[in-house]
Amino acid sequence: MRLAKRLIFLIAAAIICLSLSSLNKKVCFNGATNNVFYCGNTSKTCKEVKLETPLCFALLLGENVCGESAEYEELNVNEFLDKVNGKIVFCERLLDSVNYYCKADLPYSVNLYGEEINLHICVKQSGIKVGTPIIFGGY
């Protein structure tokens, strides 16, 4: 019985230590919905992981995260860019959306057309999706 109590205590201590060590990781996009984390090392091998509680991503996904995205019903793009110290590098206009490819203070990046890009903002009439380094998958 004594051994079982010690074992339970050690396991609980390990879980607490792991939780505390992962607190330095944070979600890039706060106040959003449909947070998706990208795991893998290329867009081809990228797996999308949706979590109900984005802050638990550090515990569940660990070092496998290579990017993330989130959706907003409304977002002032200029204010958002100010918050992430972002600058638009180039813009792409499509029939149903406007896409901004930016440099910002975010942890993930990709090279597009000879530029280091780490923020992608897609503005549609139905809402706004942001991704770092870019939005993988459909949008």
Side-chain angles (χ1 to χ4, degrees):
M1 188 66 157
R2 203 176 209 172
L3 181 61
K5 285 182 181 179
R6 284 185 183 174
L7 185 60
I8 290 171
F9 175 79
L10 288 174
I11 291 171
I15 290 171
I16 290 170
C17 288
L18 179 62
S19 298
L20 291 175
S21 70
S22 66
L23 285 178
N24 62 348
K25 296 180 182 182
K26 60 181 184 175
V27 176
C28 291
F29 306 119
N30 294 311
T33 59
N34 298 320
N35 290 76
V36 175
F37 298 91
Y38 304 123
C39 298
N41 53 15
T42 67
S43 61
K44 279 186 176 180
T45 64
C46 185
K47 177 182 175 189
E48 294 184 9
V49 179
K50 296 177 184 178
L51 296 175
E52 293 294 321
T53 308
L55 288 176
C56 71
F57 86 97
L59 289 174
L60 297 175
L61 303 176
E63 299 299 320
N64 295 324
V65 176
C66 64
E68 64 183 86
S69 69
E71 296 178 19
Y72 296 89
E73 286 183 24
E74 294 179 7
L75 182 73
N76 182 310
V77 173
N78 291 325
E79 287 178 12
F80 181 78
L81 287 171
D82 285 343
K83 285 182 184 177
V84 296
N85 195 27
K87 176 184 151 195
I88 297 171
V89 177
F90 60 90
C91 177
E92 178 182 67
R93 295 186 188 277
L94 304 173
L95 289 176
D96 67 340
S97 64
V98 178
N99 290 275
Y100 301 99
Y101 296 89
C102 314
K103 291 183 181 182
D105 289 339
L106 293 167
Y108 313 103
S109 66
V110 67
N111 190 300
L112 285 179
Y113 308 114
E115 295 283 348
E116 183 177 317
I117 301 297
N118 60 1
L119 174 62
H120 177 186
I121 303 170
C122 177
V123 179
K124 289 185 173 186
Q125 192 170 7
S126 60
I128 298 163
K129 188 167 187 174
V130 296
T132 179
I134 59 172
I135 301 166
F136 292 113
Y139 57 94

